[in-house]
Amino acid sequence: MKKVFLLLLLSGLSVVQAKVLVRQQGNDIEIEFQYADAKAGGVVVAGDFNQWSLSSAVMVKGLDDVWRYVLKGVKPSDVLQYKYVLGTRQQWILDPEAPDTVSDNKGGKNGQVVVKQFLRTVIEDVPTDIGKAGEILVTPAELPATAVKLPTDGSRNLLVEPGFENGGLNGWTLRGDVDGLSVERNPANAHSGDNAFKYMNHRPFKFLMLKRLTGLKPGNYSFKVWAAGGGGEAAVKVFARDCGVPQPTVSIANTGWQQWRQYVVRGLSAEKGECTIGLYVNGFAGNWGSIDDLEFVDETTWTKIKLEPAR
């Protein structure tokens, strides 16, 4: 079972939370849309799965003031677009924390859920640590600490050199089969700028890419990465650990050269002032991929929703 949590905070008198959960039980897949707003006069989910209808996916308000709608019969290959529509005035709202967005061809954007990205196709946990030659270690070695500092450029990203533009790993630690891992200078293989972290090997390989952040204030954090690659790996996972919750993991599904997609691990906290973030790859001979533009951001700050054009 895989859950994807999307948090939306609306500046104003009340806090609004939007949440999308993708669930799989055997061959059955469903998506539950949630919208928490006690003052909403009504909420519907309009999407390409219901021809953008304002009546077929009416959300039901529970005693907890959360509006819910469950879409059943979802297929692993489905790519769904959606927006929330509020009240009798029919205000169309884009979820700014949607897993992905695409143009709605009307001057706005639709939220998008690529179902296969959130289905666990490989039953494999992220190992605690990896030794040389891919040996799985039960007891992890001590990670060096990276003290975070508030950015001075106005951004929310707490990671320094997120795009590897200085040519180094910027405090990241590599464990496992490290041959074939590098910071590559090639704009054609980068999401932005000139550099990206690249993995490629001509034999089976496993590695962890880790960073332990310290000096964090209590809050709600997200870890985001952009990834692209040839695909076909046994497992590629973005994760976080020791962040106040059980180790959350998001699987990466690479689909080809320059087919960049952002993956986000949400709902992280820093109760002890630190958090370890990372990437795990279990690859076959010939697998390759690139990672770029990593972010670790404090999501506690409220963000204002954007009203979108009606369909």
Side-chain angles (χ1 to χ4, degrees):
M1 182 181 295
K2 195 71 176 177
K3 294 183 178 180
V4 182
F5 297 93
L6 308 179
L7 179 63
L8 168 62
L9 298 177
L10 171 64
S11 59
L13 297 177
S14 62
V15 175
V16 175
Q17 290 181 316
K19 184 184 296 183
V20 174
L21 298 96
V22 180
R23 295 191 291 253
Q24 180 180 22
Q25 187 66 40
N27 294 325
D28 297 326
I29 304 171
E30 65 181 25
I31 299 177
E32 180 175 320
F33 296 89
Q34 296 185 8
Y35 193 88
D37 185 357
K39 298 183 178 181
V43 187
V44 301
V45 184
D48 56 0
F49 51 86
N50 62 14
Q51 291 73 53
W52 302 97
S53 170
L54 297 178
S55 60
S56 64
V58 178
M59 306 181 79
V60 177
K61 185 179 179 182
L63 297 177
D64 56 357
D65 293 327
V66 176
W67 301 80
R68 293 179 173 87
Y69 177 79
V70 177
L71 177 66
K72 297 183 178 295
V74 179
K75 299 177 181 178
S77 60
D78 282 346
V79 178
L80 307 179
Q81 298 182 27
Y82 72 98
K83 282 180 183 174
Y84 292 110
V85 186
L86 272 60
T88 58
R89 298 180 61 183
Q90 297 181 354
Q91 294 179 319
W92 292 70
I93 295 175
L94 166 68
D95 179 356
E97 294 296 334
D100 199 358
T101 60
V102 294
S103 171
D104 64 2
N105 297 318
K106 293 177 176 289
K109 292 184 177 181
N110 296 327
Q112 180 171 267
V113 180
V114 182
V115 175
K116 68 179 181 180
Q117 292 182 1
F118 307 113
L119 302 181
R120 192 168 184 174
T121 57
V122 178
I123 303 176
E124 179 179 359
D125 293 328
V126 175
T128 301
D129 205 347
I130 303 178
K132 295 181 178 180
E135 178 188 5
I136 303 299
L137 304 178
V138 177
T139 303
E142 181 69 18
L143 279 176
T146 299
V148 299
K149 297 180 180 179
L150 292 177
T152 58
D153 59 358
S155 72
R156 295 190 303 158
N157 192 2
L158 298 178
L159 299 181
V160 178
E161 290 289 342
F164 308 98
E165 293 303 309
N166 67 358
L169 288 174
N170 310 316
W172 290 94
T173 297
L174 300 178
R175 299 276 175 78
D177 297 308
V178 297
D179 53 318
L181 310 181
S182 65
V183 175
E184 180 189 37
R185 185 176 180 82
N186 184 349
N189 291 336
H191 177 252
S192 68
D194 295 326
N195 294 355
F197 174 79
K198 182 178 181 180
Y199 61 86
M200 181 175 65
N201 212 316
H202 298 294
R203 59 181 177 80
F205 62 100
K206 295 180 181 180
F207 74 89
L208 284 168
M209 181 179 182
L210 302 164
K211 178 175 283 194
R212 182 165 68 95
L213 302 173
T214 60
L216 296 169
K217 65 180 182 179
N220 175 41
Y221 294 89
S222 294
F223 174 41
K224 309 178 182 184
V225 306
W226 285 89
E233 299 93 336
V236 184
K237 297 173 180 277
V238 184
F239 67 93
R241 58 175 57 144
D242 303 323
C243 303
V245 291
Q247 178 170 289
T249 305
V250 173
S251 294
I252 289 177
N254 288 324
T255 58
W257 180 57
Q258 293 186 339
Q259 299 301 306
W260 288 95
R261 191 173 298 278
Q262 189 180 52
Y263 299 84
V264 185
V265 180
R266 296 182 170 86
L268 309 176
S269 64
E271 297 174 357
K272 297 181 179 180
E274 66 175 63
C275 182
T276 298
I277 53 179
L279 171 75
Y280 169 58
V281 178
N282 180 358
F284 299 106
N287 286 156
W288 59 272
S290 298
I291 303 294
D292 201 4
D293 293 333
L294 294 85
E295 297 179 69
F296 189 80
V297 297
D298 186 349
E299 303 283 15
T300 306
T301 303
W302 291 3
T303 57
K304 190 173 182 179
I305 62 174
K306 177 185 177 183
L307 298 182
E308 288 285 316
R311 293 290 305 185

